[in-house]
Amino acid sequence: MRLGIYGGSFDPLHCGHLLLAECARVEMNLDRVEFVPLGVPPHRKNVKTDGELRYQMVLRAIKPYPEFTVSRAEIDSPEVSYTADTLARYRQEYPDDELFFIVSSETFNDMPNWRRPGEICGLASLIIAQRAGYPPPNFDALLPFTTADRVDEFRRNVIETPLFEASSTMVRQRIAEGRGARFLVPDPVLDFIYEKGLYSASNKR
């Protein structure tokens, strides 16, 4: 199996996340894409919502799409979530499968600052989504951590995604200000946000 692993805070998941996952699935011929909501963040302070609620939002968003699944691996762990540890668990669980770690180009460019980037490169092949308006991937920055052949493989795994100007921060802000987020997040996610009163939600959609 060719398994794509897509991590993130998903606070909340928006349509851009689904679009990126679908582009990766189709262009890289993946059998499945598994969303992995962030558990205990190592340094990010913008995760506003409990992991169980973020898991439920992803679950509702992907329900119509059998090619997408969602993992509880990080949100059920009391340990700080590091990508290298998560990928090591996937490698142990799926020893015979091809693993692909899906990242945006801006996330990829920050990877040299992550914990054990060399292990990440060895555990899974990287799929880099180049989003319009963002800097291109800086592949040379990974050369101190992995082989040139591996970096060349990652260069061949760049995919382009259609322009979709949305972010979780924008969605949270719009909802907090009562401006609504319809068509930015899937309807089941938006319903859940208002049902739970997330992000200081008003009744205005």
Side-chain angles (χ1 to χ4, degrees):
M1 181 173 67
R2 291 168 64 87
L3 173 60
I5 301 162
Y6 185 16
S9 59
F10 305 122
D11 190 19
L13 178 141
H14 55 71
C15 294
H17 292 129
L18 295 177
L19 182 60
L20 191 157
E22 177 67 358
C23 289
R25 186 187 70 83
V26 172
E27 294 191 34
M28 297 301 298
N29 195 30
L30 303 179
D31 296 295
R32 178 159 60 91
V33 173
E34 185 147 291
F35 291 74
V36 186
L38 178 67
V40 181
H43 49 74
R44 293 181 64 178
K45 297 182 179 179
N46 63 338
V47 180
K48 308 295 185 183
T49 310
D50 178 76
E52 181 63 34
L53 293 172
R54 290 183 285 111
Y55 171 84
Q56 291 296 330
M57 285 190 277
V58 177
L59 192 64
R60 283 160 171 74
I62 67 172
K63 185 177 180 180
Y65 313 111
E67 304 89 353
F68 294 163
T69 55
V70 56
S71 168
R72 300 185 62 94
E74 290 193 2
I75 65 169
D76 282 347
S77 173
E79 305 297 327
V80 173
S81 298
Y82 291 108
T83 297
D85 296 331
T86 298
L87 292 179
R89 289 194 292 269
Y90 271 95
R91 174 49 62 206
Q92 185 175 15
E93 185 175 354
Y94 301 98
D96 300 322
D97 293 338
E98 293 184 76
L99 300 184
F100 297 84
F101 183 56
I102 302 168
V103 294
S104 62
S105 56
E106 63 268 28
T107 299
F108 174 84
N109 287 340
D110 188 50
M111 279 186 59
N113 301 315
W114 292 13
R115 175 172 288 202
R116 310 199 306 276
E119 287 188 34
I120 295 171
C121 294
L123 288 164
S125 186
L126 303 182
I127 297 175
I128 302 100
Q130 176 63 62
R131 297 199 295 165
Y134 288 87
N138 179 14
F139 292 100
D140 291 342
L142 279 185
L143 288 173
F145 306 102
T146 190
T147 66
D149 286 345
R150 192 65 162 163
V151 171
D152 285 343
E153 178 187 336
F154 298 160
R155 292 180 196 273
R156 296 191 292 271
N157 290 354
V158 175
I159 63 172
E160 292 188 4
T161 60
L163 181 62
F164 186 86
E165 286 297 329
S167 69
S168 295
T169 301
M170 176 208 295
V171 171
R172 292 196 303 268
Q173 183 175 351
R174 288 185 61 89
I175 292 174
E177 295 173 353
R179 293 190 290 151
R182 193 179 183 191
F183 305 125
L184 293 176
V185 299
D187 286 345
V189 174
L190 192 60
D191 291 342
F192 186 82
I193 288 170
Y194 284 101
E195 174 190 334
K196 299 297 182 181
L198 302 181
Y199 316 122
S200 299
S202 71
N203 292 323
K204 188 174 181 180
R205 304 200 172 204

